[in-house]
DNA sequence: AGAACATATGAACAGACGTTCATATGTGAG
DNA sequence: CTCACATATGAACGTCTGTTCATATGTTCT
């Protein structure tokens, strides 16, 4: 007669590995912060906006022209980027000029491009 | 009498700016590639998985233990990371060991952390 | 004041995404 | 072969996200 085993959990755990990794975890705050930035860069429209602003300060209507998208769509995305402090804005009469708020983004882009180009080779 | 104007488009465009930016656009392919990688890093679970693997090769059940999540959830995420070639796997009997497929990711993480730490100071 | 323009914003909608649940696949032990 | 285990995977579900549409805000000009 075999005993009834209603406990069926994973047993292959290497405790040493787990403990070692656990000692060096990111804070929950850091994990959220990281994923938030990357999520911000994880959309084609926002990538194009940031890349355009990377070159020079632009007003909303210039961005609309460059992207070939609705003014509303662009404005909404600029709004998210603003909330994340990735871009800053400057008012000039009716117009609003946007520019990058943080040069670190530039490095992220460079690393990202390096990654996709590295991938294409392999 | 004012003429009927049913054309109501944006007219504030600075053509020089637009043309200059247009000369230096990313290829559609590059835009998609970039946003795809960043999107992959734009989720807390995947950030934690990659950060764990950054330290050492781990099997699925170790990851389940470290993350405190369902085996299914972890497996699904590993599947996406594999499709994006961010992780690679090695079979050993019943178990499957995952590790980072690309060290560029490491640099992206470092830049990302620099960004969020820079923000906290300002 | 009113008209024209530049931008912002709320609501709505479709599509993408992450988790869960149930179940399938594949491997080693007995 | 059968069982237990490690992992993978499809379907379903609720939630998030990006765009569109309509409209609001704020500015300049007359």
């Amino acid at each position: 007669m075999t005993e009834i085993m209603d406990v069926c959990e994973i047993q292959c755990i290497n405790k040493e590995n787990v403990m070692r990794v656990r000692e060096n975890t990111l804070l929950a705050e850091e994990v959220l912060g990281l994923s938030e930035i990357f999520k911000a860069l994880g959309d084609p429209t926002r990538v194009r906006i940031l890349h355009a602003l990377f070159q020079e300060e632009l007003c909303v209507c210039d961005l609309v022209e460059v992207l070939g998208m609705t003014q509303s769509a662009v404005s909404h995305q600029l709004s998210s980027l603003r909330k994340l402090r990735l871009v800053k804005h400057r008012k000039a009469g009716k117009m609003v000029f946007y520019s990058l708020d943080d040069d670190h983004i530039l490095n992220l882009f460079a690393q990202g491009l390096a990654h996709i180009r590295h991938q294409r080779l392999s």
Side-chain angles (χ1 to χ4, degrees), chain A residues 91-108:
Chain A
K91 290 195 169 186
K94 289 186 284 192
M95 295 156 72
V96 179
F97 287 88
Y98 281 84
S99 55
L100 290 190
D101 194 10
D102 187 342
D103 289 339
H104 287 254
I105 301 298
L106 206 152
N107 295 323
L108 280 176

Side-chain angles (χ1 to χ4, degrees), chain A residues 64-122:
Chain A
V64 167
E65 180 73 9
V66 168
L67 301 184
M69 297 182 62
T70 308
Q71 178 268 321
S72 181
V74 174
S75 244
H76 276 300
Q77 294 294 12
L78 286 171
S79 169
S80 347
L81 292 173
R82 221 171 37 207
K83 277 173 195 153
L84 290 164
R85 296 191 171 280
L86 295 183
V87 301
K88 59 189 169 192
H89 64 301
R90 169 177 76 81
K91 290 195 169 186
K94 289 186 284 192
M95 295 156 72
V96 179
F97 287 88
Y98 281 84
S99 55
L100 290 190
D101 194 10
D102 187 342
D103 289 339
H104 287 254
I105 301 298
L106 206 152
N107 295 323
L108 280 176
F109 260 78
Q111 286 294 336
L113 279 172
H115 177 81
I116 61 178
R117 282 168 185 154
H118 163 263
Q119 269 203 331
R120 198 164 310 142
L121 299 178
S122 60

Side-chain angles (χ1 to χ4, degrees), chain A residues 13-25:
Chain A
I13 298 169
N14 179 327
K15 290 188 181 177
E16 282 187 28
N17 287 354
V18 172
M19 283 181 60
R20 220 175 312 135
V21 172
R22 278 218 172 118
E23 278 169 18
N24 191 10
T25 27

